[in-house]
């Protein structure tokens, strides 16, 4: 028995974070036991637990998902904690120690804000020397620098993170970071230097002409170094007017245009600093996870383009920067430009709009390792100019930067294109979860669009432990709502983007916290965000009541089904689904989620109120958008998907709406027409409503519009548009066309939930109880996934043999259980770990075609022959239109049909519907023997 994965607020050993009431969590593994019988949590001020400040004792009520530590925390204190657990079979274990360390909390600052007496456009370095007179036991630096900062002590960088103090609503709150600088200091003379950059605080950023100085117009620093000597005494080195400033070698830079660095610049002149006027009221210990180098890539190739350019191909659309080695002669100017795609074999970056996205370095003749300081790029290709001599790709490394999130999910199938699609969605998260869930990382935007974050939040929580990431984003969102009457802005931080309150976008306020709670089972996220959820729900209710109180949301601006393909104007990004319907649907959904959150928190009066509102909205939607016989008035893929997903369809009419969706898809050639609203729900709805075959068809389509269309064209991330790149390799547009835009990567949630069948449950969130319900399709011969959930590791795997027999393998972690749903199964023929279900003592229930099993922790091998085969075969009884969509089948049957007969399935379907070749034999003479012979050939074609 082993206890591991100790987390504080779902972070590993957090240093200097805002902790609130710390939530401690852990995972038990490597035991044959099923359930936890009891646990004990100890907290001490030392690693050997000689100074214990809390001991829960052996208790049965300690929850490994989140144990709230009931002690008063002291500032600037490291707490060590460990867990002891007992299992139902007598197993027992004690964990290694974990720790967390508090920041200054309410302790007054001795440091002052200081501002360099330099031109506001000059990047400064602020610093001072100081003496330390004794042996050092420990030292911490508490720092906030605006816009962005990096600190060095005695020439060594403090910490391994970049872009501190990160990106948030600076007008509301300022984060300070804590660094353990013990090893950087020495007895005697020390030097501290802090370099400052623009960031979005004062650099060029946002819409409206990409204005500068959105939050501030001058660089500023607050720094307090606290040193504890071995003899128990201490000294504080604060930022104040004894510090001085000098000009940085960073000559210019911002997040969009990049950075210019001159290594030849020698700053002998120093400048005074003055006291800043920022105050301390907005300061709080950090919530942002560190942004770190999570991976490193080497160039795949050095390309000499037709235009004579030298271009590095990193092989992957990535976010971060290039680190390079150089000893170029003094005065050499090396320029790196960044782009996502080549055009006609040449370097290209027009889709970045006004962003220069370049790094310019002037060499000083010394051997240097070079990288940017205060900017990042989204790119696959790097054009290198000014490099002296032959370029050696070994001198270049791609540093992949994003928030320090742990990757917890994996997914793989027998289809390499599907596997690449999953990786593209994962890389989209890596590229856009850089402190803020940005919409794109490369062009002159890079903002935290709420809609993108909302639709991807479920996928994000499967892929990575996103609790702390969304906790910070949610906190920032709530602060932005304070001055907007509960309205959620379009982007968070709001920067200079005016307006907000669009359905699906602003509903991030309710959907993200609920998804986070569902995945991690820690109600503290709901406690933090409930006022935000309520404020947003109340905002919609108020908008409704001001418009007449019809329990519909028909006012305000809405993006609708953004970038859908069914709009009336092909040049408009607005989709064809009525925005009043979408807005009203989210009105229902957000009030429903607010009610659920209130219930979890024990606020039953509010739960009843918002549930009532939600049901009234559902009733109003039925009156407004459904006929008396159950026809949905909107005939779009998105309308059907939203209506079914959000439970807007009256029960008696559900099957009619499902059939209407199937018909709509058939008219759309079983291809996607959905945008940002419909795409995340469509496959989930199809699989839930008995149309899993169509969901797989949408997944496996590889022509436009489809997910695999991009994969076949070489995409390594998710695109903003279904046709961001045209079939000939040319980019479809430049005005709004990101090749790393993760929203459509939400298909990965369907992969986890349906293909692999791993689902959290509302009744026991955090995967304490899961539903394992894979829905296989023979077009994939196998699939497997694993998720290191808050409860432990779940695995789900299935495969077909050549005869279509199914094998499932499941792993359920300790102290968890799962309802397993086996499709097309007969309980009497199932083998479980080599024996019958009954012999294993497992309860089962036959539910139509499915068998339901209740399983506790353990590993399970399940095999059976499906009661209805998954192997589909083409035949002359198949609809002719369906055959004509298959190239091999079309070739086989062309000779049987009259010369000149229309063979275009898109147009033929309107005249013959689902008629088969056998049906058409009555009109076009075809001998039965010819049809029988054709059947044998069609049967061999993989479907």
């Amino acid at each position: 028995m082993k206890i591991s994965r100790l987390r504080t607020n779902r972070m590993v050993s957090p240093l200097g974070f805002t902790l609130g009431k710390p939530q401690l969590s852990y995972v038990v593994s490597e035991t044959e036991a099923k359930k936890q019988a009891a646990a004990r949590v100890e907290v001490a001020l030392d690693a050997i637990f000689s100074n214990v400040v809390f001991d829960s004792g052996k208790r049965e009520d300690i929850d490994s998902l989140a144990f709230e530590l009931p002690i008063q925390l002291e500032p600037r204190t490291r707490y060590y904690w460990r867990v002891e657990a007992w299992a139902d079979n007598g197993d027992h274990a004690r964990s290694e120690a974990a720790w967390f360390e508090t920041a200054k909390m309410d302790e007054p600052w001795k440091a002052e804000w200081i501002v360099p007496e330099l031109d506001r456009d000059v990047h400064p370095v602020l610093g001072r020397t100081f003496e330390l007179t004794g042996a050092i036991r420990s030292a911490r630096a508490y720092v906030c620098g605006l816009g962005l900062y990096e600190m060095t002590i005695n020439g060594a960088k403090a910490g391994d993170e970049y872009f501190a103090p990160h990106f948030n609503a600076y007008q509301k709150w300022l984060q300070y970071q804590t660094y353990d600088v013990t090893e950087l200091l020495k007895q005697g003379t020390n030097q501290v230097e802090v370099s400052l950059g623009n960031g979005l605080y004062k650099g060029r950023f946002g819409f409206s002409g990409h204005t500068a100085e959105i939050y501030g117009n001058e660089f500023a620093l607050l720094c307090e170094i606290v040193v504890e000597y071995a003899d128990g005494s201490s000294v504080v080195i604060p930022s104040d007017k004894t510090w001085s400033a000098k000009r940085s070698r960073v000559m210019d830079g911002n997040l969009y245009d990049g950075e210019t660095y001159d290594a030849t610049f020698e700053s002998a002149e120093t400048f005074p600093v003055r006291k800043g006027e920022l105050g301390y009221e907005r300061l709080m210990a950090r919530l942002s996870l560190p942004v770190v180098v999570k991976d490193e890539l080497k160039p795949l190739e050095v390309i000499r383009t037709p235009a004579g350019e030298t271009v590095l191909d990193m092989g992957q659309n990535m976010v971060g920067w290039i680190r390079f080695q150089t000893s170029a002669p003094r005065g050499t100017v090396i320029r790196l430009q960044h782009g996502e795609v080549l055009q006609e074999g040449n370097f290209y970056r027009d889709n970045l709009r006004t962003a220069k996205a370049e790094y310019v370095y002037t060499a000083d003749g010394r051997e240097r390792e070079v990288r940017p300081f205060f900017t990042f790029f989204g790119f696959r290709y790097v054009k290198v100019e000014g490099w002296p001599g032959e370029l050696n790709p070994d001198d270049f490394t791609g540093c992949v930067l994003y928030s320090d999130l742990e990757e917890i999910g994996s997914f793989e199938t027998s289809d390499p294109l599907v596997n690449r699609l999953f990786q593209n969605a994962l890389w989209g998260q890596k590229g856009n979860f850089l402190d803020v869930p940005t919409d794109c990382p490369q062009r002159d935007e890079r903002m935290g669009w709420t809609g993108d974050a909302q639709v991807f939040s479920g996928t994000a929580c499967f892929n990575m432990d996103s609790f702390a990431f969304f906790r910070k984003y949610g906190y920032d969102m709530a602060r932005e709502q304070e001055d907007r009457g509960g309205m959620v802005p379009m982007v968070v931080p709001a920067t200079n983007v005016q307006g907000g309150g669009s359905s699906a976008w602003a509903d991030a306020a309710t959907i993200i916290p609920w998804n986070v709670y569902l995945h991690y089972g820690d109600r503290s996220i709901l406690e933090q965000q409930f006022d935000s959820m309520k404020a947003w729900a109340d905002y919609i209710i108020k908008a409704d009541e001001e418009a007449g109180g019809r329990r519909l949301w028909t006012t305000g601006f809405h993006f609708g089904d953004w970038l859908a393909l069914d709009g009336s104007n092909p040049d408009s990004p607005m989709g064809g689904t009525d925005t009043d319907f979408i807005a009203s649907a989210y009105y229902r959904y957000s009030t429903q989620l607010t009610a659920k959150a209130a219930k979890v928190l024990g606020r039953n009066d509010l739960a009843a109120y918002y549930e009532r509102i939600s049901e009234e909205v559902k009733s109003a939607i039925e009156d407004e958008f459904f006929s008396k016989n159950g026809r949905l008035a909107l005939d779009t893929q998105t309308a059907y998907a939203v209506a079914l997903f959000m439970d807007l369809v009256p029960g008696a009419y559900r099957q009619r709406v499902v059939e209407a969706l199937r018909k709509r898809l058939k008219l759309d050639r079983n291809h996607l027409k959905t945008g940002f609203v419909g795409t995340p729900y469509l496959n989930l709805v199809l699989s839930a409503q008995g149309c899993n075959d169509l969901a797989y068809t949408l997944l496996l389509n590889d022509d436009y519009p489809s997910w695999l269309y991009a994969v076949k064209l070489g995409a390594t991330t998710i695109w903003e548009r279904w046709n961001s790149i045209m079939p000939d390799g040319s980019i479809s547009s430049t005005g709004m066309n990101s090749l790393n835009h993760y929203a459509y990567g939400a298909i990965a949630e369907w992969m986890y939930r349906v293909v692999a069948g791993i689902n959290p449950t509302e009744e026991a969130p955090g995967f304490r109880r899961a539903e394992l319900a894979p829905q296989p399709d023979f077009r994939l011969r196998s699939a497997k996934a694993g998720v290191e959930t808050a409860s432990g590791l779940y695995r789900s795997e299935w495969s077909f043999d050549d005869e279509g027999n199914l094998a499932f393998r499941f792993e359920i972690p300790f102290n968890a259980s799962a309802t397993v749903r086996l499709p097309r199964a007969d309980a009497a023929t199932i083998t479980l770990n080599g024996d019958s279900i009954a012999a294993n003592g497992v309860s089962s229930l036959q539910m139509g075609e499915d068998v339901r099993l209740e399983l506790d922790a353990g590993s399970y091998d399940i095999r059976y022959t499906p009661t209805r085969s998954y192997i589909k075969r083409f035949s002359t009884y198949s609809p002719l239109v369906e055959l004509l969509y298959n190239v091999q089948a079309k070739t086989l049957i062309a000779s049987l049909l009259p010369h000149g007969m229309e063979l275009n399935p898109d147009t033929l379907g309107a005249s013959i519907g689902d008629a088969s070749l056998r049906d058409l034999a009555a009109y076009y003479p075809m001998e039965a023997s010819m049809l029988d012979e054709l059947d044998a050939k069609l049967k061999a074609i993989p479907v």
Side-chain angles (χ1 to χ4, degrees), residues 111-304:
E112 298 175 343
W113 284 102
I114 54 174
V115 175
E117 296 279 22
L118 284 164
D119 186 282
R120 289 175 176 173
D121 293 330
V122 173
H123 285 63
V125 178
L126 280 61
R128 64 160 290 182
T129 60
F130 57 93
E131 298 291 324
L132 295 178
T133 58
I136 301 162
R137 184 174 68 189
S138 69
R140 301 291 184 268
Y142 305 94
V143 189
C144 180
L146 298 170
L148 303 176
Y149 74 88
E150 280 195 26
M151 181 172 67
T152 63
I153 293 180
N154 297 324
K157 176 176 164 56
D160 61 354
E161 67 179 295
Y162 303 92
F163 309 124
H166 307 297
F167 309 115
N168 55 266
Y170 301 110
Q171 84 281 11
K172 290 286 187 177
W173 62 299
L174 298 173
Q175 301 184 73
Y176 68 89
Q177 288 69 43
T178 302
Y179 301 92
D180 183 345
V181 295
T182 308
E183 300 302 318
L184 302 184
L185 294 170
K186 62 185 179 181
Q187 188 170 341
T189 303
N190 293 265
Q191 182 178 44
V192 56
E193 289 191 329
V194 182
S195 300
L196 299 174
N198 283 314
L200 69 82
Y201 179 77
K202 68 180 289 290
R204 183 170 89 92
F205 197 82
F207 282 168
S208 306
H210 312 291
T211 55
E213 300 182 350
I214 295 173
Y215 294 102
N217 60 10
E218 58 187 13
F219 294 107
L221 171 67
L222 183 73
C223 176
E224 190 169 291
I225 301 173
V226 180
V227 179
E228 293 186 2
Y229 290 120
D231 64 6
S233 63
S234 63
V235 63
V236 176
I237 297 94
S239 54
D240 55 26
K241 288 195 287 185
T242 65
W243 290 49
S244 63
K246 63 180 180 180
R247 298 175 187 269
S248 172
R249 288 175 174 166
V250 175
M251 298 289 107
D252 193 17
N254 60 65
L255 294 173
Y256 291 163
D257 297 318
E259 194 166 285
T260 301
Y261 187 94
D262 187 351
T264 69
F265 179 71
E266 298 293 341
S267 180
E269 187 177 8
T270 61
F271 300 86
V273 299
R274 59 178 169 83
K275 184 177 178 179
E277 303 300 327
L278 290 166
Y280 303 102
E281 294 78 11
R282 285 179 287 165
L283 279 170
M284 61 181 281
R286 68 184 306 158
L287 284 174
S288 286
L289 290 169
V291 173
V292 297
V293 175
K294 296 288 288 185
D295 200 1
E296 293 187 351
L297 305 177
K298 298 301 289 187
L300 284 188
E301 183 184 4
V302 178
I303 300 170
R304 311 294 181 188

Side-chain angles (χ1 to χ4, degrees), residues 500-544:
S502 168
S503 58
W505 272 247
D507 295 284
T510 55
I511 294 171
I512 292 177
W514 185 254
N515 273 340
V516 172
Y517 169 70
L518 189 62
H519 275 261
Y520 306 112
D522 184 344
R523 55 180 272 166
S524 68
I525 187 68
L526 298 181
E527 291 170 347
Q528 175 184 291
Q529 294 303 123
F530 184 73
D531 287 347
S532 165
M533 299 174 77
K534 180 180 180 297
W536 171 238
D538 290 345
Y539 178 88
I540 308 173
I541 294 168
K542 182 181 179 183
D544 164 30

